[in-house]
Amino acid sequence: MSSNMKKIIIIFIIVIAILVCSLSTYAIYAKDSIYNYYLESKGFYLTSDSLGNDLLNTNTLWDGNSIHLSVNNYTSNNNITDYDIRYTISCELLDNVTGTCTFNGTNNSSLNLTLSHNESCFNNLDQVDVSNLNKTDCELGGYTWVNNKVNQDVYFNLNIDNSITDVRVKITLRATSPYQKTLTGIYRLHKAELNTGSLTKSINPNNLYNDLIITNSYNTDKCVRVTFDSSKRVLDDHINIASSLSDNNNYINDFKVLVPGLSNKKISLYNKQNILNDDYNDIDIEESTGCV
């Protein structure tokens, strides 16, 4: 077999492998989307600020204290669950790290919890206080009985050796009643002496997108300019940006974002294509002005 033929076969195998991975990822995404549509048709809305499908969460300013997350019974102002949701939440230390992970000040690595629904009377007619009205009196008075958004705070603590500065934790939430749904998140935590006065970046790679994590270790808010190659990536249109510039095809490739002091900012950049061995060198950050 000639060397040219071998090269063609190798290239063909690589292309097939990329297509198989892409189709597999899409199939899983489609399956999850269909099931989520079914759940929402039943009025079942369960979300979290940091849990999804192995949603990555990076904290490079972790001080060793509790990590909080929110469990919610809604997806929008109009889509709110009107019944209780029972679920189990558990945590697991990854990478063979020895120690314990516990929830809500207990010694348990797993808890059974209930996300209770909440209803109240809403007054959009006059100045009358209707907060104590029951459903019947509310509706008879011409007011509106509504389901309220509920955000349940859950937190976990790690008991690990003080010499460990980097740790990954997997949080798994499994709804058990009245419907089943699983949300997961991976927390990447870095504990170190606080280097006050710097802006740094890190990248969390995913199949369809990359998370840019901007860390502001200053005590004050900072305006940060972000640039990237728009032929490779597309900015998540849900991010709140101060100003932007675009390429000749009207894709944003330069924008500014406000990062609060002593905190991280996560920005999703969606890949336009399968990028093998991506070095992310096109993504750059620098301190700027004009965010306010």
Side-chain angles (χ1 to χ4, degrees):
M1 183 181 296
S2 67
S3 59
N4 287 336
M5 181 60 69
K6 289 181 180 179
K7 291 180 181 178
I8 292 174
I9 292 175
I10 292 173
I11 293 173
F12 179 75
I13 292 174
I14 292 174
V15 170
I16 293 298
I18 292 174
L19 289 175
V20 169
C21 291
S22 299
L23 290 174
S24 176
T25 300
Y26 177 77
I28 294 172
Y29 172 81
K31 179 182 177 181
D32 290 343
S33 297
I34 292 172
Y35 186 62
N36 286 335
Y37 178 80
Y38 165 77
L39 292 178
E40 292 185 2
S41 72
K42 301 296 182 181
F44 184 84
Y45 308 105
L46 178 65
T47 61
S48 172
D49 60 340
S50 52
L51 303 179
N53 183 13
D54 279 353
L55 185 63
L56 292 174
N57 304 275
T58 298
N59 186 349
T60 58
L61 296 172
W62 182 48
D63 58 5
N65 290 322
S66 304
I67 303 295
H68 289 255
L69 61 99
S70 178
V71 182
N72 314 315
N73 72 335
Y74 60 88
T75 57
S76 69
N77 290 332
N78 297 320
N79 296 329
I80 305 173
T81 303
D82 61 359
Y83 45 76
D84 293 350
I85 299 174
R86 287 184 287 277
Y87 66 92
T88 298
I89 192 166
S90 60
C91 59
E92 173 189 3
L93 292 171
L94 303 178
D95 306 321
N96 296 318
V97 172
T98 301
T100 60
C101 174
T102 58
F103 283 105
N104 292 8
T106 70
N107 293 320
N108 301 317
S109 62
S110 178
L111 287 182
N112 295 317
L113 299 172
T114 299
L115 183 60
S116 301
H117 81 288
N118 182 275
E119 301 172 349
S120 65
C121 189
F122 177 69
N123 182 358
N124 57 353
L125 299 177
D126 49 43
Q127 302 300 315
V128 176
D129 181 6
V130 299
S131 58
N132 293 321
L133 293 182
N134 58 36
K135 182 178 181 180
T136 300
D137 292 338
C138 176
E139 293 177 341
L140 287 176
Y143 305 113
T144 305
W145 190 254
V146 297
N147 295 311
N148 295 319
K149 292 180 178 180
V150 176
N151 304 291
Q152 186 175 53
D153 179 66
V154 180
Y155 65 91
F156 64 90
N157 292 89
L158 303 184
N159 181 14
I160 57 178
D161 192 285
N162 288 331
S163 64
I164 299 175
T165 58
D166 290 276
V167 61
R168 291 195 309 140
V169 183
K170 181 171 184 177
I171 303 297
T172 302
L173 184 156
R174 290 188 174 91
T176 57
S177 176
Y179 300 98
Q180 295 183 353
K181 181 177 181 177
T182 300
L183 301 175
T184 56
I186 305 293
Y187 286 79
R188 190 179 73 179
L189 308 174
H190 174 73
K191 182 172 63 175
E193 293 295 328
L194 185 60
N195 179 22
T196 303
S198 65
L199 291 171
T200 58
K201 71 172 184 179
S202 59
I203 305 293
N204 280 341
N206 292 277
N207 288 330
L208 300 177
Y209 63 92
N210 300 307
D211 282 332
L212 167 64
I213 310 298
I214 303 175
T215 300
N216 176 14
S217 64
Y218 288 95
N219 291 317
T220 58
D221 299 350
K222 290 294 180 179
C223 182
V224 180
R225 180 189 178 194
V226 181
T227 58
F228 61 95
D229 185 351
S230 54
S231 69
K232 292 183 177 181
R233 320 175 199 282
V234 178
L235 175 67
D236 180 3
D237 59 8
H238 292 95
I239 188 69
N240 184 21
I241 59 179
S243 62
S244 64
L245 297 175
S246 302
D247 62 18
N248 293 332
N249 296 314
N250 291 323
Y251 286 109
I252 293 176
N253 59 7
D254 185 328
F255 65 92
K256 296 177 182 179
V257 63
L258 186 67
V259 183
L262 300 178
S263 67
N264 301 283
K265 187 79 171 184
K266 181 173 72 173
I267 300 169
S268 294
L269 297 170
Y270 291 89
N271 299 330
K272 286 187 175 181
Q273 55 192 341
N274 286 304
I275 304 175
L276 298 177
N277 301 318
D278 193 354
D279 56 20
Y280 314 111
N281 286 338
D282 62 294
I283 305 174
D284 194 22
I285 67 170
E286 64 179 8
E287 186 173 349
S288 185
T289 58
C291 285
V292 179

